Amino acid sequence: MVTPLPAPSAPSKTSIFKNRNFRKVFAASAVSTLGTQLSALAIPLTAVGALDATPAQVGLLGALSMISFLLFGLPAGVLVDRASRRRIMIAADFGRVLVLASIPVAALLGALTLPQLYVVAFVTGTLTLLFTVASQSFLPSIVPPERLNEANANLASFREGNAIAGPVLAGLLIQLVTAPLVILLDVLSYLWSGVVIFSIRRVPEPVAAKQSMTRSILDGVRYVFAHELLRPIAAAGALSNLAALVTLTMMPIYYERVLGLPTGMLGLFMGGGGVGLLLGAYTGRWLARWIGEGRVLWVFGTAIVPFAFLVPGAAPGAWQWIATGAWLVVCYQSGMTNVLLISFRQRITPGEMLGRMNAVMRFTLTGAAALGAALGGAIGEFAGVRSALYVGAALTGLVWIPYFFSPMRHLRRLP
């Protein structure tokens, strides 16, 4: 049984943007997430276009960008709980500036290689791990619990808006200039983010008691996987990321080599997913109130299954737009669950455990994404790119199951 918690106090009618620290976090996120979207398309297209990478090599590149979440994810949570989360965010931003800048520099010198892209993907992924865990754990230090849904919805909606604009802008810019130079815009976005977060005044942050690294990690793992609501969230998120990365890893190759479509059309497909994420972030809370916050997770999860199988049918002409619309629907589910579940996780987790909880979640979710990138590359190499896309669709069809067989199945409101 789920133990009911006291109802939260009514949210303040004052705009969340009256909160100066949240305003700065939002400004940093708004710019850096746009830059991240540019690199998400520019880096694999650099490998495909400039270095003639194979599907397996593109899959390896995607896996390396996320493997750090498996290697260092759990210790990162302990570090975040013991240190200043604000300082970790600043260091991660400036570190990404230096590492990513090496790609356009090497390209201009004619010295760019696949091994360099592999190293950049791995190091950037490690710094992104630290930033992600620290930022999700830092937000409850500057926003009261009853306003976390509102704060996360604003961050998510702008992030998903960038997921629309970013791929479209990236596709157009890559056609005008080379992909490595587009990455330079991401470098500038991380520089902006680091400077803005540096300007945030120090705020009290909870610090966990020091104990052995192993015990601290085990405490975090037990907290997530012994919790009757966090456990299905982790399982469903892992399945969702596994499926998404199988699809996203193969799409640049599918559009460029199989369909022979211009990069701008790939950007429109990715942008369609961004529209879905944005709509989910904006309207998901209302849909959840109507159907039920727990119930909507599996009801909508089953509803998107037919749409997932339309995505591999992308082809020049009408089917490209059908596939883009189907991808929009699939991504709507992710946008909706992101806002609902990130806020829920932050509300129910003690402050001194936030870093480890977020790290365990990121370890699980991004580890699954890394596996999805590698799996997509392997299937694409040996069975064909379209076969990999159908595997991604089949995995999407399983995401609703952990929610259905959990206490969330009938909950109208997450505690």
Side-chain angles (χ1 to χ4, degrees), residues 260-334:
L261 291 171
T263 305
M265 301 307 290
L266 173 61
L268 288 173
F269 174 85
M270 298 294 194
V275 171
L277 291 168
L278 178 62
L279 291 175
Y282 263 123
T283 68
R285 288 179 294 165
W286 297 314
L287 185 64
R289 290 193 196 107
W290 176 46
I291 299 176
E293 289 182 349
R295 194 177 300 142
V296 73
L297 299 172
W298 68 267
V299 169
F300 206 84
T302 58
I304 67 170
V305 175
F307 294 93
F309 281 94
L310 292 175
V311 173
W319 272 102
Q320 183 206 349
W321 301 107
I322 293 172
T324 299
W327 185 240
L328 183 155
V329 175
V330 171
C331 291
Y332 180 95
Q333 163 81 352
S334 296

Side-chain angles (χ1 to χ4, degrees), residues 2 221-232 344 348 415:
V2 179
V221 172
R222 276 194 295 266
Y223 179 76
V224 171
F225 289 102
H227 198 290
E228 59 186 345
L229 298 182
L230 291 179
R231 184 173 58 247
F344 170 62
I348 66 169

Side-chain angles (χ1 to χ4, degrees), residues 50 65 123 172 194 219 262 269 325 365:
S65 68
V123 176
L172 294 174
D219 284 348
F269 174 85
L365 273 57

Side-chain angles (χ1 to χ4, degrees), residues 392-411:
L395 291 168
T396 300
L398 304 176
V399 172
W400 61 274
I401 294 175
Y403 298 128
F404 186 81
F405 292 102
S406 80
M408 291 185 173
R409 179 177 174 180
H410 300 297
L411 286 181

Side-chain angles (χ1 to χ4, degrees), residues 4-15:
L5 299 179
S9 57
S12 169
K13 293 183 180 180
T14 305
S15 170

Side-chain angles (χ1 to χ4, degrees), residues 131-334:
F131 185 92
T132 302
V133 174
S135 63
Q136 289 185 351
S137 304
F138 181 66
L139 191 63
S141 295
I142 61 173
V143 174
E146 67 273 13
R147 308 210 66 177
L148 282 172
N149 262 354
E150 183 185 359
N152 278 308
N154 278 287
L155 290 169
S157 60
F158 211 95
R159 182 175 62 243
E160 313 317 354
N162 282 336
I164 302 170
V168 176
L169 181 60
L172 294 174
L173 288 174
I174 290 169
Q175 287 183 192
L176 295 174
V177 299
T178 60
L181 291 181
V182 173
I183 296 169
L184 186 59
L185 295 176
D186 193 16
V187 172
L188 296 176
S189 77
Y190 287 134
L191 180 61
W192 162 265
S193 177
V195 170
V196 172
I197 293 171
F198 182 82
S199 71
I200 295 175
R201 293 179 180 177
R202 294 181 184 179
V203 295
E205 298 183 53
V207 179
K210 289 189 177 180
Q211 54 187 0
S212 73
M213 177 68 73
T214 301
R215 182 175 176 183
S216 295
I217 289 173
L218 289 176
D219 284 348
V221 172
R222 276 194 295 266
Y223 179 76
V224 171
F225 289 102
H227 198 290
E228 59 186 345
L229 298 182
L230 291 179
R231 184 173 58 247
I233 290 173
L239 278 170
S240 179
N241 281 11
L242 181 70
L245 264 293
V246 169
T247 301
L248 291 173
T249 302
M250 289 296 99
M251 271 301 172
I253 298 174
Y254 188 57
Y255 265 71
E256 185 158 313
R257 293 185 182 170
V258 178
L259 301 182
L261 291 171
T263 305
M265 301 307 290
L266 173 61
L268 288 173
F269 174 85
M270 298 294 194
V275 171
L277 291 168
L278 178 62
L279 291 175
Y282 263 123
T283 68
R285 288 179 294 165
W286 297 314
L287 185 64
R289 290 193 196 107
W290 176 46
I291 299 176
E293 289 182 349
R295 194 177 300 142
V296 73
L297 299 172
W298 68 267
V299 169
F300 206 84
T302 58
I304 67 170
V305 175
F307 294 93
F309 281 94
L310 292 175
V311 173
W319 272 102
Q320 183 206 349
W321 301 107
I322 293 172
T324 299
W327 185 240
L328 183 155
V329 175
V330 171
C331 291
Y332 180 95
Q333 163 81 352
S334 296

